[in-house]
Amino acid sequence: MPRQTAPRPTVAQLTYGSCTVILSTLAMLLLSQTDSGPGVALIALVGLVLGLLVAMTVPRHRPARTASQIVASSAAPAVVAPAPRERVPVQASSAQQD
């Protein structure tokens, strides 16, 4: 029985997550102006959690569609425009000729 592996993160997920960790941690440290060890540790932990959330919400790359999928989607019924109406000339009534 083949062993199932977890899907690996994409380059975009790693990049967005890493940038979020660095920038959010730096911003929180600058805004809070904390100098205690537990405060810095808490801010670093929050930055890591934010980075994980961002990395997991970045959409994954979908595999390319196969030729059969493309043909199946293009085989959908086409919308047919209604046929144009025939134009019938209006005949002058006998009341107007008198």
Side-chain angles (χ1 to χ4, degrees):
M1 183 180 267
R3 192 175 129 190
Q4 292 181 349
T5 59
R8 294 183 179 172
T10 63
V11 175
Q13 288 176 309
L14 291 174
T15 303
Y16 289 142
S18 299
C19 289
T20 301
V21 169
I22 294 167
L23 294 175
S24 64
T25 303
L26 182 63
M28 286 187 284
L29 284 172
L30 289 173
L31 291 173
S32 69
Q33 297 180 352
T34 187
D35 54 359
S36 67
V40 171
L42 179 66
I43 289 174
L45 182 67
V46 170
L48 284 173
V49 170
L50 282 173
L52 279 172
L53 287 174
V54 167
M56 292 302 144
T57 56
V58 172
R60 291 189 171 274
H61 178 68
R62 293 186 207 155
R65 291 173 33 177
T66 63
S68 61
Q69 290 172 333
I70 294 171
V71 170
S73 66
S74 65
V79 177
V80 179
R85 296 184 200 175
E86 286 187 33
R87 299 204 178 241
V88 179
V90 178
Q91 303 222 354
S93 66
S94 61
Q96 288 179 349
Q97 292 176 355
D98 290 328

